[in-house]
Amino acid sequence: MRTFKKLFFFVMLASLFSCQQKVEQTVHLSGQLVDLSSGNNVTMSYNGASSELGKLRDIILTTDESGNFDTTFVLTEPGYYNLSRNTIYLSPGDDLVVKITQTNSDAEFSGTSSEINTYMKKRLFPKGGSFLEAGRNIVGDFDATKLLIDSLAAVRQAELDALQTADSKFKELESMRILADQVNSYISFYSYAGYAIRQKGLEFELPERNEFMKNLAPIVAPMFAKLNKAEYLDVAVVRDVFSYYSNDELKELWFAGLEMPTRTKELYEASALSYKLSGAVSQELIDEVTNFANNVANKDFADEMRGKIEAASKLLPGRPAIDIALEDTDGNSYKLSDFKGKVIYLDFWATWCGPCIQESPYFEAMAKQFDGKDVTFLTISTDKGKKEWLNYLAANEKQLKQYHTADPNLGEGWDLKFIPRFILIDKDFNIADAYATRPSQEVTAETIESLLN
C-alpha cells in the first residue's frame, strides 16, 4: 500500500511538472489592434535572425471588427516580434494585454513583461539613422553630433539598467541594440548631413565619402568587435550594421581581423540566396538554394530556406496559378480563376506607389492594343484600405474596370513583396511568368502575342 502511495505521488508530481512545463511554453496575448488592417487578420512578425530568410515564425492575430483579439500560442524561447511600428519582446509564460496603433509611442501594455515592452516603445529606427532621427539630431559637424549621439545612448542605457523585471539576457541584447544604434548613427551621419546643412542652416564642411568612412574605422571597429556574437543577430539593428561586411572596401576598413561566427556567415549567405528567390525563379536556382539549405549548420535557417524554396517553386512557369479573391468598385466579389480561358495580364499596384501610377497609362494602352483578343487585363489595388483606393479612383478616371484585393494568398502564394508587380497567366490558368515585364517595355506585347499563338 505504501509503495502504491509513493508511486501515485510520483505520477502526480510528474504530471504536475509536465503541465507546468506546458504552461510555461505558451504565451497568452490579448488586447486591441487599432487601424492595423482592413481585414480581420494581422501579422505579428518574428524579428529574430531567421526573419531575414522567411516567415515561418510569424503569428497571425485574428481580430473582431473593433480590432479586439485574444490568442494563446506556443513559445519555447524569448524573442522579438513586430506589431505595426512596435517591437515587442515575448517570453514563454507571458500573459500580456496590449493596445497597439500605427504610432509606436501610443502603445499600452499591462500584465507580465509590460515594463519591458513599455521600454521597447522608444526603440529607434535604423532606417531613420537611429539616434539621428532622420537628421533632426544633427547639431553640427560629426564630432559635435557624435557627442549628442553618445549622450542619448547613455540616457537609453540608464533607462535599460533601471528596469526591475528584465532578465540579464534581455538587458544584454538591448545593450547591444544601443551600441549598434550608435554605430548606425555614426555611419548614417554622412547620408543625413546634406539635409542638415540645407534644412537647418548648419555650416560645416563634409569630407569626401571615402575619407569619411576611413575616418570612422578607429571608432566603429572596436564596437563591431563587441557586437560580434551570434546571439546578437536577433537584434535587427545589429544585423543591419553587419551587412556592411559584404562591402569589400568597408570590410577591410571596419572588420579587419574580425572572425565572424559560423551563424553570422551563414545568415548573410543564406540571405543573399533568399533574396534571389524573391525575383524570377528557375529550377537551377531552386536546386542551388536547396543544396545550401541541406548543408547549412543552423536548423532555423534551413527551415526558413526550405519554406522559401517551397513557395518559390510554386511560381515556376507551368505551375497552376494561385487563386485570389477580388472585389470591384461596386462591392461585387470575384475570383481570379473566373477569368480562366484567356491569357491574363495582372497589374498589382497601390495609390501611394509612384512607379505604379507611372505604369498605369501603359497598362491601359496595352489593353486597348489587344482589345478583341483572348487576353484579359486586370488592374488590382493592394491598398490596405478600400477607402483610399475608392477616393483615388474618384479623382482619377480609369478606362479599365478596377479591382481590389486583401487576400492573404497575395503574400503567401504569389510572394508579393514589392509593387508594381506584373504577372502573366496562360489560357489554362497556369503561370507563364510570375515576374512579368512592365507594360512600358516593348517585350511585354511580344510575350503576350506568343501566349496567344
Side-chain angles (χ1 to χ4, degrees), residues 26 59-60 85 96 161 212 226 229 295 302 348 412 429:
T26 62
I59 295 169
I60 303 298
R85 290 176 64 82
L96 184 65
D161 293 339
F212 177 81
K226 289 182 181 179
K229 285 188 178 181
N295 292 283
F348 289 106
E412 296 170 13
F429 203 61

Side-chain angles (χ1 to χ4, degrees), residues 339-345 365-378 400 425-427 444-453:
F339 303 93
K340 180 180 179 180
K342 291 186 176 184
V343 172
I344 307 171
Y345 186 37
M366 189 167 286
K368 190 173 182 180
Q369 176 184 340
F370 284 91
D371 188 35
K373 297 188 178 182
D374 282 345
V375 55
T376 298
F377 289 78
L378 299 179
L400 290 171
I425 298 171
D426 67 22
K427 295 180 180 181
T444 305
E446 298 171 10
T447 304
I448 295 175
E449 286 285 4
S450 68
L451 290 172
L452 290 173
N453 297 328

Side-chain angles (χ1 to χ4, degrees), residues 327-330 349-351 357 360 364 379-381 383 385-404:
E327 187 175 323
D328 67 14
T329 52
D330 295 322
W349 69 290
T351 57
I357 305 302
S360 180
E364 293 204 333
T379 175
I380 304 170
S381 161
D383 285 286
K386 288 187 289 185
K387 182 179 179 181
E388 295 90 339
W389 169 59
L390 292 172
N391 287 344
Y392 178 86
L393 294 179
N396 297 272
E397 185 179 354
K398 298 292 180 181
Q399 301 301 314
L400 290 171
K401 186 170 182 176
Q402 301 291 309
Y403 298 90
H404 177 271

Side-chain angles (χ1 to χ4, degrees), residues 216-386:
L216 279 184
I219 300 172
V220 299
M223 301 173 82
F224 275 118
K226 289 182 181 179
L227 293 167
N228 191 33
K229 285 188 178 181
E231 55 265 37
Y232 299 157
L233 292 173
D234 282 332
V235 178
V237 67
V238 173
R239 301 195 297 272
D240 287 343
V241 296
F242 267 101
S243 66
Y244 291 103
Y245 186 80
S246 62
N247 182 304
D248 290 337
E249 179 188 354
L250 297 179
K251 181 178 178 180
E252 291 299 319
L253 283 174
W254 298 346
F255 303 92
L258 198 62
E259 179 61 29
M260 296 290 179
T262 299
R263 184 168 173 82
T264 304
K265 293 177 181 177
E266 287 190 346
L267 176 62
Y268 290 105
E269 188 173 352
S271 181
L273 287 172
S274 292
Y275 179 78
K276 290 182 179 180
L277 290 178
S278 298
V281 292
S282 64
Q283 190 58 54
E284 289 77 15
L285 177 59
I286 295 291
D287 292 341
E288 179 187 359
V289 182
T290 300
N291 181 62
F292 181 87
N294 289 340
N295 292 283
V296 76
N298 292 276
K299 184 180 182 299
D300 57 337
F301 293 172
D303 289 343
E304 292 289 358
M305 295 193 77
R306 291 189 182 106
K308 292 276 287 188
I309 291 165
E310 182 181 357
S313 297
K314 294 177 182 178
L315 300 181
L316 287 169
R319 298 294 175 92
I322 297 155
D323 214 357
I324 57 173
L326 309 174
E327 187 175 323
D328 67 14
T329 52
D330 295 322
N332 300 311
S333 298
Y334 300 84
K335 287 186 177 180
L336 184 56
S337 57
D338 291 341
F339 303 93
K340 180 180 179 180
K342 291 186 176 184
V343 172
I344 307 171
Y345 186 37
L346 302 174
D347 169 15
F348 289 106
W349 69 290
T351 57
W352 48 263
C353 170
C356 300
I357 305 302
Q358 291 172 7
E359 289 292 329
S360 180
Y362 294 101
F363 193 82
E364 293 204 333
M366 189 167 286
K368 190 173 182 180
Q369 176 184 340
F370 284 91
D371 188 35
K373 297 188 178 182
D374 282 345
V375 55
T376 298
F377 289 78
L378 299 179
T379 175
I380 304 170
S381 161
T382 61
D383 285 286
K384 285 188 176 181
K386 288 187 289 185

Side-chain angles (χ1 to χ4, degrees), residues 72-282:
T72 301
F73 54 90
V74 174
L75 188 66
T76 58
E77 60 183 8
Y80 292 103
Y81 292 83
N82 282 347
L83 256 177
S84 188
R85 290 176 64 82
N86 284 90
T87 295
I88 64 176
Y89 186 80
L90 297 173
S91 299
D94 272 350
D95 190 346
L96 184 65
V97 180
V98 306
K99 182 177 181 180
I100 303 287
T101 72
Q102 294 183 20
T103 305
N104 59 303
S105 59
D106 290 342
E108 299 174 11
F109 303 95
S110 60
T112 60
S113 74
S114 58
E115 183 193 35
I116 287 173
N117 286 300
T118 298
Y119 165 85
M120 290 297 298
K121 285 167 57 174
K122 294 183 181 179
R123 175 190 65 85
L124 299 172
F125 295 94
K127 287 183 174 59
S130 293
F131 286 109
L132 295 183
E133 294 190 2
R136 291 188 293 275
N137 283 339
I138 291 181
V139 293
D141 64 10
F142 177 78
D143 290 337
T145 303
K146 183 178 181 299
L147 288 174
L148 177 59
I149 292 169
D150 294 346
S151 65
L152 293 172
V155 170
R156 187 64 170 156
Q157 185 65 51
E159 293 173 343
L160 175 62
D161 293 339
L163 297 180
Q164 299 295 311
T165 57
D167 61 20
S168 58
K169 179 178 180 180
F170 175 80
K171 288 191 173 184
E172 181 180 4
L173 288 174
E174 284 304 305
S175 287
M176 292 304 106
R177 186 190 300 275
I178 294 168
L179 187 64
D181 276 328
Q182 284 179 272
V183 173
N184 186 52
S185 302
Y186 302 156
I187 296 171
S188 299
F189 176 85
Y190 195 88
S191 300
Y192 285 105
Y195 159 86
I197 292 171
R198 293 189 306 272
Q199 300 296 322
K200 301 178 73 171
L202 299 177
E203 296 183 3
F204 58 87
E205 188 173 342
L206 195 63
E208 292 293 324
R209 183 182 182 279
N210 289 345
E211 182 185 352
F212 177 81
M213 297 304 175
K214 185 177 180 180
N215 292 338
L216 279 184
I219 300 172
V220 299
M223 301 173 82
F224 275 118
K226 289 182 181 179
L227 293 167
N228 191 33
K229 285 188 178 181
E231 55 265 37
Y232 299 157
L233 292 173
D234 282 332
V235 178
V237 67
V238 173
R239 301 195 297 272
D240 287 343
V241 296
F242 267 101
S243 66
Y244 291 103
Y245 186 80
S246 62
N247 182 304
D248 290 337
E249 179 188 354
L250 297 179
K251 181 178 178 180
E252 291 299 319
L253 283 174
W254 298 346
F255 303 92
L258 198 62
E259 179 61 29
M260 296 290 179
T262 299
R263 184 168 173 82
T264 304
K265 293 177 181 177
E266 287 190 346
L267 176 62
Y268 290 105
E269 188 173 352
S271 181
L273 287 172
S274 292
Y275 179 78
K276 290 182 179 180
L277 290 178
S278 298
V281 292
S282 64

